[in-house]
Amino acid sequence: MANLASPNGKDKTNAGSLRTGDHTETVEIEYDPKIISYEELLAKFWTSHNSTTKRSKQYMSAIFYHDDKQHEAAKRSMADRQKQASRTIVTVIQPASKFYLAENYHQKYLFRQNRELTQFLKLSDEEIISSPLVAKLNAVCGNYMSTDRFKRTFNSNPKLYDLSSKTTDKLFSLLENGSSRSWCGY
């Protein structure tokens, strides 16, 4: 889920009132610790971006923690990562505050660029934002997940996606016939 965080911790009822640069663009990750640990998520965080580059508040490297256990784990992981880095890490570690969903057009952006998929699935904005299926399709559209991996993931728990066999077959057909970045409009 893409989110905007108020940098000053004040509760703003309308995220649209945030000015450009008056927020930090983040993602909020809901995870099952039986499947992946917080420490594994932190490891992925450190390898997914350059944590030594100073950026504006809007694009800064940050970890927002929810409790003391997460805070300590984040500090440990940063210290471990610093030992491997040739430059100083500038990542900010701070308590999570009120988060705001980004505007709908930012949600699952790569998926939304594929008219054939969006027209075929006919999902509302709310469904696009909350759908595990669309999250994975968005990854396929960005070439972060292969079509084969998507199919394996889908087939390992098809009830999660709640599609008929006819719809599933058509979806797989669409993916097999155009799983490139250009197909997804990227």
Side-chain angles (χ1 to χ4, degrees), residues 56-175:
S56 67
K57 182 171 226 31
Q58 184 176 357
Y59 300 114
M60 72 179 182
S61 173
I63 298 171
F64 299 96
Y65 61 88
H66 292 274
D67 57 36
D68 290 340
K69 186 177 175 184
Q70 286 184 352
H71 185 206
E72 291 305 315
K75 289 192 305 187
R76 274 192 313 277
S77 74
M78 187 164 116
D80 290 346
R81 185 67 177 181
Q82 185 61 67
K83 292 174 190 172
Q84 303 167 12
S86 59
R87 296 177 23 205
T88 302
I89 290 176
V90 296
T91 299
V92 174
I93 299 174
Q94 62 188 46
S97 61
K98 176 82 174 174
F99 282 80
Y100 302 93
L101 286 176
E103 293 89 353
N104 287 344
Y105 66 89
H106 287 298
Q107 304 287 342
K108 311 298 190 298
Y109 179 79
L110 298 173
F111 167 80
R112 288 178 187 268
Q113 302 311 301
N114 183 295
R115 289 187 184 168
E116 191 171 12
L117 268 181
T118 56
Q119 289 173 357
F120 170 66
L121 292 173
K122 298 178 183 149
L123 300 172
S124 68
D125 280 336
E126 185 177 304
E127 290 170 319
I128 289 172
I129 291 167
S130 63
S131 168
L133 173 67
V134 175
K136 293 191 177 26
L137 290 171
N138 193 61
V140 171
C141 287
N143 278 347
Y144 300 107
M145 177 185 276
S146 70
T147 300
D148 287 340
R149 183 170 172 209
F150 170 82
K151 289 165 76 173
R152 285 193 309 274
T153 302
F154 183 97
N155 287 327
S156 70
N157 190 3
K159 289 182 181 178
L160 175 66
Y161 307 106
D162 194 30
L163 297 178
S164 70
S165 60
K166 182 179 177 182
T167 301
T168 300
D169 291 344
K170 174 68 174 168
L171 176 61
F172 285 1
S173 175
L174 286 172
L175 293 173

